[in-house]
Amino acid sequence: GENVEQHPSTLSVQEGDSAVIKCTYSDSASNYFPWYKQELGKGPQLIIDIRSNVGEKKDQRIAVTLNKTAKHFSLHITETQPEDSAVYFCAASLRTGGGADGLTFGKGTHLIIQP
Amino acid sequence: GAGVSQSPSNKVTEKGKDVELRCDPISGHTALYWYRQSLGQGLEFLIYFQGNSAPDKSGLPSDRFSAERTGGSVSTLTIQRTQQEDSAVYLCASSTGPVLAKNIQYFGAGTRLSVL
């Protein structure tokens, strides 16, 4: 099955700086890569996703890059703000045709934005 | 409702007791998922319901875990004879359909289960 590794487990950056979270996956058949943000006491919320036919996707201050050859993908947050502080999870899906077992999550990164 | 609702938000139980966790998905969502989130871990898939199809139970860790979804809406996750290792946050998510790349999963806030 799929295995997703996520690094770092904790990331502390100064407000205004950029933050990068990296994930690797094991199964080259994976073709969908969402990122979730989880704030304290809340459920995860999808913030951005990318499919395997795209190398980069951007949405305002958030971007995701995908390197299929190396089997890794990254989340980039620029001009970080205090409200970016949360736990971020990457995930990889083996298929887009349905079935929850197609989504494997990383263990999460606790992002701390220092004022 | 406005989002996925889970109850209770917190549950403390004694080892050996049975517990029931409830999930109200977003109205009209045909797909419903249960996950377990242990401290410092990612989300572990437990079970998946899609419409009237037989559920995908491949993630249930033992036969003490079961779930049902009545009328294609509300779902209940039942843990029998709870053990301390069952302590975790149990998350429910729903989506409009089964295709992950086309249907966003919306998560509830979870039920924090503590087994003493």
Side-chain angles (χ1 to χ4, degrees):
Chain A
E2 175 65 280
N3 182 51
V4 176
E5 298 285 340
Q6 183 172 347
H7 300 280
S9 56
T10 304
L11 177 60
S12 181
V13 301
Q14 289 293 124
E15 181 178 351
D17 288 350
S18 295
V20 180
I21 301 170
K22 299 181 179 181
C23 288
T24 60
Y25 60 99
S26 61
D27 196 320
S28 57
S30 288
N31 53 16
Y32 174 63
F33 308 91
W35 284 89
Y36 289 84
K37 175 183 181 182
Q38 186 174 26
E39 297 175 325
L40 194 62
K42 298 183 179 180
Q45 181 179 14
L46 180 71
I47 55 171
I48 195 168
D49 57 13
I50 192 168
R51 301 184 193 186
S52 59
N53 59 347
V54 175
E56 183 175 0
K57 184 177 179 180
K58 192 172 183 179
D59 182 4
Q60 300 182 335
R61 297 187 296 108
I62 295 173
V64 57
T65 59
L66 171 65
N67 183 326
K68 287 180 60 179
T69 302
K71 290 188 286 187
H72 68 69
F73 56 113
S74 300
L75 178 71
H76 304 252
I77 305 175
T78 58
E79 302 171 17
T80 52
Q81 301 170 4
E83 55 264 36
D84 294 331
S85 294
V87 178
Y88 291 80
F89 292 96
C90 63
S93 173
L94 275 170
R95 55 185 176 178
T96 57
D101 60 342
L103 201 59
T104 302
F105 285 84
K107 293 187 176 181
T109 295
H110 187 191
L111 177 61
I112 302 166
I113 307 301
Q114 303 279 4
Chain B
V4 178
S5 178
Q6 291 188 246
S7 60
S9 55
N10 285 281
K11 176 70 176 178
V12 180
T13 190
E14 294 180 349
K15 177 182 174 181
K17 295 285 181 69
D18 298 351
V19 295
E20 284 190 353
L21 313 179
R22 178 187 169 102
C23 173
D24 278 283
I26 294 173
S27 179
H29 281 195
T30 61
L32 186 147
Y33 311 76
W34 282 99
Y35 295 89
R36 178 168 66 178
Q37 186 176 27
S38 301
L39 189 64
Q41 302 294 314
L43 280 70
E44 174 190 5
F45 161 72
L46 296 177
I47 189 169
Y48 161 68
F49 297 89
Q50 170 53 39
N52 296 320
S53 301
D56 178 349
K57 304 179 181 180
S58 59
L60 294 179
S62 78
D63 58 8
R64 296 186 296 105
F65 289 73
S66 64
E68 61 178 23
R69 188 179 185 192
T70 54
S73 181
V74 172
S75 178
T76 302
L77 177 68
T78 301
I79 309 174
Q80 295 178 311
R81 305 182 302 280
T82 52
Q83 304 294 314
Q84 289 183 331
E85 59 263 30
D86 298 335
S87 296
V89 175
Y90 290 83
L91 289 162
C92 175
S94 71
S95 66
T96 55
V99 181
L100 291 172
K102 297 182 179 179
N103 301 285
I104 296 172
Q105 289 190 36
Y106 294 88
F107 283 83
T111 293
R112 181 174 297 277
L113 175 66
S114 300
V115 182
L116 304 179

